[in-house]
Amino acid sequence: MLEEQSFKLQSRLRKSRRTDSLRRIFRETRIHPDNLMAPIFVIDRSDSVEPVQSMPGVDRYSVDRLPEYVSRLRSAGIRSVLLFGVPASKDEAGTGAYSNSGVIPRAVRQLRDNFEDLVIAADVCLCEYTSHGHCGVLATGEVDNDGTLPLLAKAALQYATAGADIVAPSAMMDGQVHAIREALDHSGLNSTIVMGYSAKYASAFYGPFRFAAESKPAFGDRRAYQMDVANSREAMREIEGDVKEGADVIMVKPALAYLDVISKARARFDMPLAAYNVSGEYSMIKAASMNGWLDEKFTVYEVLTSIKRAGADLIITYFAEQGAKWAREGW
Ligand code: PBG
């Protein structure tokens, strides 16, 4: 009898859900603008803002038009951006990625001059710059891991020298974090942060990005270097590798189909953990909301919250500006 009563009292979990204020005081996870990083596509043109067809609501900016967009992000409360370059021309060796006059070094200098307190991260990869669209240089028709490392290091050095706070290698070459860390330290850039795309899966969710960044591989796919979708133990080995190589921030990408990997990484590594809420995750919500099939605001809330609840500290998301505004209003 007594036992039954105490069971009943304990089971009334609805008590804490009755009113909005009660729900708020018991809420375990919150999205804050500080935790949202905005990816930006930078095009090598002048005076251009171009909508990205595959990602409604996302635009690509020329270097001279970047400050106006970043001012908007700053007023929404966003403190950090992740830059992707779309060069005017490409070649076999991806030269545009590591040239001092390339689109990213220029974009970084432009933003550094205009925003003292902005955290500038730059993606380090060759796929937007190579004519074949792969993330490294080719040798006998395959992506040459060790031949790519010095080029990634050179790119990272250019971006850091231009003023980037964070360089983020996403090419999934073995040893890329080490190669970059070593190059930075040799040049006295020992306060530049390396954010490794540690567990980056060969995902269908990058589709809309590849239109935006014009980085679709001309032949084959990326499965020989990006991770197999089915593996999570291997993800822990990838992350451990990046930590040993000197990464300051680790990342799981994509986020939504990999919440288990985020959660496992959180439990295992006491490192700042980023999760990339990628283009396909953005576009599918956008498309469904535009059709009236999903409530965009609540869906974005639920998705970003789930990524944080899984254990991510930092969420890289195309919803950053809107998400920050909603977060400040209280959703
Ligand atoms: C470059 C890179 C990609 C993304 C981030 N860095 C594309 C890819 O690997 O094909 C995808 C980001 C997104 O889908 O939002 N290697």
Side-chain angles (χ1 to χ4, degrees):
M1 178 72 179
L2 203 74
E3 247 175 51
E4 195 173 277
Q5 197 176 24
S6 65
F7 167 76
K8 270 187 192 156
L9 285 171
Q10 276 184 24
S11 67
R12 290 195 184 274
L13 291 172
R14 284 180 53 189
K15 292 193 290 286
S16 57
R17 299 174 201 150
R18 205 168 41 84
T19 68
D20 184 50
S21 288
L22 284 167
R23 289 191 292 274
R24 280 173 189 273
I25 70 162
F26 291 116
R27 192 154 289 151
E28 299 173 27
T29 309
R30 264 188 189 78
I31 299 299
H32 190 280
D34 286 353
N35 306 128
L36 304 178
M37 179 181 269
I40 308 179
F41 300 104
V42 190
I43 47 178
D44 201 354
R45 310 238 162 92
S46 61
D47 195 22
S48 300
V49 179
E50 293 178 358
V52 175
Q53 302 272 314
S54 56
M55 304 175 71
V58 172
D59 294 308
R60 314 195 298 182
Y61 292 84
S62 57
V63 174
D64 52 349
R65 299 289 294 272
L66 266 182
E68 66 192 74
Y69 177 49
V70 173
S71 299
R72 238 169 65 201
L73 290 171
R74 290 293 292 118
S75 18
I78 296 297
R79 292 182 182 280
S80 63
V81 296
L82 174 60
L83 304 178
F84 291 93
V86 187
S89 64
K90 303 174 190 248
D91 57 32
E92 280 278 308
T95 313
Y98 41 89
S99 131
N100 176 266
S101 56
V103 64
I104 291 300
R106 280 187 283 125
V108 171
R109 287 191 286 267
Q110 167 83 303
L111 290 179
R112 190 75 296 156
D113 288 349
N114 281 275
F115 303 92
E116 214 183 308
D117 60 354
L118 178 73
V119 176
I120 304 173
D123 185 83
V124 179
C125 192
L126 300 190
C127 66
E128 298 98 326
Y129 306 90
T130 49
S131 41
H132 46 75
H134 278 288
C135 300
V137 286
L138 304 180
T140 57
E142 283 190 29
V143 175
D144 175 11
N145 190 91
D146 295 9
T148 301
L149 295 179
L151 306 180
L152 295 174
K154 220 164 140 180
L157 208 54
Q158 291 287 3
Y159 309 163
T161 306
D165 303 283
I166 304 178
V167 288
S170 68
M172 285 302 277
M173 295 299 127
D174 290 328
Q176 61 184 9
V177 169
H178 172 76
I180 288 171
R181 183 74 268 162
E182 205 172 54
L184 292 172
D185 290 347
H186 270 133
S187 301
L189 292 157
N190 44 26
S191 50
T192 304
I193 291 167
V194 178
M195 174 165 76
Y197 281 68
S198 313
K200 177 175 175 180
Y201 287 88
S203 170
F205 288 101
Y206 306 151
F209 172 98
R210 291 181 188 167
F211 289 104
E214 300 168 17
S215 65
K216 196 172 182 298
F219 66 90
D221 53 45
R222 304 205 200 293
R223 282 183 285 189
Y225 39 104
Q226 298 180 348
M227 276 190 60
D228 192 286
V229 163
N231 296 355
S232 84
R233 293 193 301 266
E234 188 188 349
M236 298 304 110
R237 295 174 62 204
E238 281 284 2
I239 296 172
E240 204 179 309
D242 275 12
V243 173
K244 284 189 180 142
E245 289 180 34
D248 304 287
V249 185
I250 54 176
M251 192 200 298
V252 173
K253 176 190 175 184
L256 283 188
Y258 302 88
L259 292 175
D260 59 324
V261 180
I262 296 173
S263 155
K264 210 163 148 184
R266 172 73 301 150
R268 218 181 270 210
F269 300 96
D270 290 331
M271 301 277 297
L273 173 62
Y276 201 140
N277 178 218
V278 301
S279 59
E281 300 173 329
Y282 172 87
S283 295
M284 65 186 180
I285 290 176
K286 222 52 196 181
S289 312
M290 286 163 74
N291 275 295
W293 299 335
L294 279 177
D295 174 338
E296 184 177 2
K297 182 170 164 179
F298 195 63
T299 308
V300 171
Y301 169 69
E302 193 171 339
V303 158
L304 296 181
T305 302
S306 75
I307 298 169
K308 192 140 188 220
R309 194 189 62 230
D313 301 302
L314 186 64
I315 305 174
I316 304 162
T317 178
Y318 303 94
F319 288 114
E321 184 184 6
Q322 185 63 71
K325 284 184 190 156
W326 282 333
R328 286 162 62 149
E329 286 164 14
W331 303 95

